[in-house]
């Protein structure tokens, strides 16, 4: 049962294109935030328990500062986490309209887990502040025996809450992100039958989640170096900075070498029919960016060039965009047929609505709309995607409009470098419109 069935409906080609852009931008906002939230929470919980066990003051201070880093206030969690996650649910429900795949319940469950994890993480944050406040009070200074006992009980209760809330919040956050990563990965692969169990046990989900975990730790290390070793680093004590530098650079260096390894495994184990030339190029660029990050961490670790932390953060942001774009391309490649079907459903839906409203109009066939709905996923004018670039093939149809229209109506395999274009089921007038549009745009681009 589709929970959003009553509020989603077929969209026009222009709206589908807009939804695809929103899908990309939403992930560009959500995934970096979740990655750093995972990294800071993981490091904070780890250093808190380490500091508590070995009575390491630096570890305890570092744990407190880390959890404050990306939980400045609840508005940040809502704006960067909950709202984009909720938007993603609606966008995917709309883009996958009319298909057998239904991820709405899974994503809603993941969203509820995210909200719960944020609740516990903020409890962990505030419990840390209470712990510091309790430490400022000396029980011996409390004259009233009952008040002293109550104070001890409150301090003990807060200590238990502090120890457990961070771990619970981290576990819930990891489960939520695991489901999210699973959905994103599965919708970008050529898999026909999908259910919740498939998402959980899929090799693709496991590998991509491990890669995302390594990515989260790496980008968090870069963010920490940038924060503590920029121009105002003098306000921290040298032994504290040295403690942070040793831990962060060592951890970051290890995981910046692990992440490309996991990425390659995840990439080569993907189904062949989910790959394309453009995805391969984007994947290569992604690996090059990972190599640059590894070099930056090596230089920071070997030569103490901590001023490169800002450069590492910048490259990480570019890397994030390329990773999301790669999955975006894979999603488009997989769902081309579904988007075609949604366009047909939109035409029927719009006609029905207009008939019920008593509206009649002459429908104008626009080549641009057909291009956005049927062609843009596989063709660009100056870039090879699933099919060749228009700038490379249209010159041979110069002055041959009839031949171009005939090829659009009855596509054949011509170039062995590309697979044969599937028949798009266009009517003659639609084929004429798209032929005239791409020729017109080709000529304008040449000017």
């Amino acid at each position: 049962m589709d929970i959003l069935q009553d509020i989603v409906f077929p969209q026009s080609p222009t709206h589908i294109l807009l939804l695809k852009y929103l899908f990309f931008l939403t992930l560009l906002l959500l995934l970096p935030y979740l990655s750093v939230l995972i990294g800071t929470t993981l490091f904070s919980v780890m250093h808190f328990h380490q500091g508590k066990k070995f009575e390491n003051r630096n570890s305890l201070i570092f744990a407190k500062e880390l959890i404050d880093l990306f939980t400045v206030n609840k508005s940040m969690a809502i704006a960067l986490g909950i709202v984009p996650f909720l938007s993603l649910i609606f966008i995917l429900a709309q883009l996958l309209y009319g298909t057998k795949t239904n991820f709405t319940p899974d994503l809603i469950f993941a969203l509820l887990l995210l909200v719960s994890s944020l609740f516990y993480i903020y409890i962990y944050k505030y419990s840390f502040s209470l712990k510091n406040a309790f430490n400022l009070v000396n029980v011996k200074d409390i004259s009233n025996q009952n008040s002293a006992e109550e104070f001890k009980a409150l301090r003990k209760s807060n200590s238990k809450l502090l120890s457990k809330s961070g771990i619970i919040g981290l576990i819930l956050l990891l489960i939520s992100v695991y489901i999210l990563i699973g959905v994103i990965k599965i919708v970008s692969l050529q898999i026909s039958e999908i259910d919740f169990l498939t998402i959980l046990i899929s090799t693709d989900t496991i590998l991509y989640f491990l890669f995302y975990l390594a990515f989260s730790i790496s980008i968090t290390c870069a963010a920490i170096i940038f924060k503590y070793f920029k121009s105002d680093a003098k306000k921290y004590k040298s032994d504290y900075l040295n403690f942070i530098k040793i831990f962060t650079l060592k951890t970051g260096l290890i995981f910046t070498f692990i992440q490309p390894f996991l990425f390659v495994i995840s990439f080569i184990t993907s189904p062949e029919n989910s790959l394309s030339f453009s995805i391969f190029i984007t994947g290569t660029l992604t690996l090059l960016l990972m190599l640059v990050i590894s070099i930056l961490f090596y230089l920071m670790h070997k030569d103490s060039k901590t001023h490169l932390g800002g450069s590492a953060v910048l490259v990480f942001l570019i890397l994030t965009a390329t990773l999301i774009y790669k999955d975006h391309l894979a999603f488009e490649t997989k769902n081309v047929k579904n988007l075609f079907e949604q366009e047909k459903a939109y035409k029927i839906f719009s006609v029905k609505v207009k008939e019920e409203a008593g509206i009649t109009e002459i429908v104008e066939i626009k080549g641009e709309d057909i291009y956005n709905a049927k062609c843009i996923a596989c063709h660009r004018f100056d870039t090879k995607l699933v099919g060749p670039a228009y700038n490379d093939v249209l010159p041979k149809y110069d002055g041959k409009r009839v031949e171009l229209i005939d090829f659009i109506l009855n596509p054949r395999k011509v170039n062995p470098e590309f697979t044969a274009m599937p028949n798009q089921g266009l009517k003659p007038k639609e084929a004429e419109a798209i032929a005239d549009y791409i020729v017109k745009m080709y000529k304008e681009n040449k000017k």
Side-chain angles (χ1 to χ4, degrees):
M1 178 179 176
D2 190 345
I3 297 176
L4 300 181
Q5 188 175 10
D6 296 331
I7 58 176
V8 298
F9 48 86
Q11 294 293 317
S12 68
T14 303
H15 288 162
I16 290 175
L17 184 62
L18 178 61
L19 283 169
K20 288 191 286 188
Y21 287 139
L22 288 175
F23 178 55
F24 174 81
L25 293 173
T26 301
L27 290 179
L28 194 59
L29 187 66
L30 178 63
L31 292 183
Y33 170 72
L34 291 178
S35 65
V36 181
L37 185 64
I38 288 174
T40 51
T41 306
L42 174 63
F43 289 165
S44 178
V45 170
M46 184 177 71
H47 278 281
F48 167 70
H49 287 277
Q50 182 179 331
K52 186 178 178 182
K53 181 178 180 180
F54 298 104
E55 297 183 353
N56 188 322
R57 179 174 172 77
N58 283 337
S59 287
L60 292 172
I61 295 173
F62 190 42
K64 175 66 172 68
E65 291 183 346
L66 278 176
I67 202 60
D68 288 338
L69 194 59
F70 282 89
T71 56
V72 178
N73 52 51
K74 301 181 188 71
S75 299
M76 176 182 285
I78 294 171
L80 298 179
I82 296 174
V83 171
F85 206 122
L86 189 60
S87 301
L88 186 66
I89 295 174
F90 283 92
I91 291 169
L92 269 182
Q94 187 63 75
L95 288 175
L96 297 175
Y97 174 85
T99 67
K100 295 179 180 179
T101 54
N102 177 23
F103 296 111
T104 303
D106 309 325
L107 288 174
I108 289 177
F109 177 61
L111 176 60
L112 292 176
L113 288 175
L114 175 62
V115 173
S116 301
S117 72
L118 288 169
F119 174 75
Y120 278 101
I121 288 170
Y122 275 88
I123 287 178
Y124 173 69
K125 168 189 169 71
Y126 297 136
S127 297
F128 231 131
S129 300
L130 282 174
K131 175 183 177 297
N132 293 339
F134 280 128
N135 289 339
L136 294 174
V137 179
N138 191 338
V139 181
K140 295 179 181 179
D141 295 335
I142 302 176
S143 57
N144 187 292
Q145 184 65 27
N146 290 334
S147 298
E149 291 300 323
E150 287 181 10
F151 180 83
K152 288 180 182 179
L154 285 173
R155 185 166 62 182
K156 185 177 180 181
S157 176
N158 183 73
S159 180
K160 289 182 179 179
L161 188 63
L162 179 59
S163 298
K164 294 180 180 179
S165 57
I167 296 175
I168 295 173
L170 178 61
I171 292 172
L172 292 175
L173 178 61
L174 290 174
I175 296 172
S176 173
V177 172
Y178 183 83
I179 296 172
L180 173 63
I181 291 295
V183 170
I184 292 172
K185 191 62 179 175
I186 294 299
V187 297
S188 64
L189 298 177
Q190 300 287 350
I191 301 175
S192 54
E193 296 296 329
I194 308 172
D195 53 28
F196 186 61
L197 184 61
T198 303
I199 294 174
L200 293 180
I201 65 175
S202 167
T203 304
D204 297 294
T205 299
I206 296 170
L207 287 173
Y208 209 67
F209 174 74
L210 291 175
F211 162 73
Y212 184 75
L213 195 57
F215 171 84
S216 300
I217 293 173
S218 301
I219 193 174
T220 304
C221 288
I224 291 171
I225 292 295
F226 175 68
K227 178 189 183 301
Y228 284 95
F229 294 91
K230 52 186 180 180
S231 57
D232 58 346
K234 293 181 180 179
K235 70 179 183 179
Y236 300 104
K237 293 182 179 180
S238 58
D239 65 320
Y240 181 58
L241 284 177
N242 190 54
F243 165 79
I244 293 172
K245 183 171 69 173
I246 292 173
F247 167 77
T248 307
L249 290 180
K250 184 178 179 180
T251 304
L253 186 63
I254 292 171
F255 281 93
T256 53
F257 280 103
I258 290 176
Q259 67 176 9
F261 174 73
L262 292 171
F263 177 78
V264 170
I265 295 177
S266 176
F267 193 82
I268 63 178
T269 55
S270 300
E272 279 188 34
N273 54 2
S274 68
L275 302 176
S276 67
F277 179 75
S278 56
I279 293 174
F280 178 78
I281 294 298
T282 308
T284 303
L285 176 60
T286 300
L287 281 174
L288 289 174
L289 290 170
M290 290 182 191
L291 176 61
V292 172
I293 291 170
S294 297
I295 293 172
L296 289 172
F297 265 91
Y298 176 76
L299 292 173
M300 287 189 288
H301 183 267
K302 182 176 179 292
D303 301 327
S304 296
K305 295 182 177 181
T306 51
H307 64 278
L308 295 175
S311 301
V313 170
L314 177 61
V315 179
F316 260 116
L317 293 177
I318 299 172
L319 173 62
T320 304
T322 58
L323 285 168
I324 296 172
Y325 184 64
K326 182 186 74 67
D327 288 333
H328 181 73
L329 287 175
F331 175 81
E332 281 194 339
T333 302
K334 178 191 174 183
N335 291 280
V336 168
K337 183 178 179 181
N338 166 51
L339 297 178
F340 289 165
E341 294 299 323
Q342 190 167 166
E343 183 205 353
K344 293 178 183 178
Y346 170 75
K347 290 179 180 178
I348 297 172
F349 175 78
S350 60
V351 169
K352 181 180 178 181
V353 170
K354 289 173 183 177
E355 286 178 351
E356 291 176 352
I359 301 172
T360 57
E361 61 178 17
I362 299 174
V363 179
E364 179 186 358
I365 301 174
K366 292 185 178 181
E368 182 179 3
D369 289 342
I370 299 173
Y371 170 75
N372 288 331
K374 295 183 177 291
C375 311
I376 198 171
C378 300
H379 294 283
R380 299 286 195 278
F381 283 89
D382 57 356
T383 306
K384 294 180 181 179
L385 292 178
V386 180
Y390 284 143
N391 290 348
D392 295 335
V393 296
L394 286 180
K396 69 179 181 181
Y397 289 106
D398 188 19
K400 298 180 181 179
R401 181 175 181 268
V402 175
E403 287 85 345
L404 178 57
I405 294 171
D406 177 65
F407 180 82
I408 294 172
L409 287 171
N410 303 288
R412 285 89 63 188
K413 186 176 179 65
V414 177
N415 190 335
E417 184 181 347
F418 302 98
T419 58
M421 185 176 85
N423 193 311
Q424 306 301 316
L426 295 174
K427 297 177 182 178
K429 290 291 184 183
E430 293 174 325
E432 291 176 13
I434 185 60
D436 292 339
Y437 173 73
I438 61 177
V439 169
K440 175 187 173 185
M441 295 302 297
Y442 164 69
K443 290 179 178 179
E444 289 182 0
N445 291 336
K446 283 179 62 179
K447 293 179 181 179

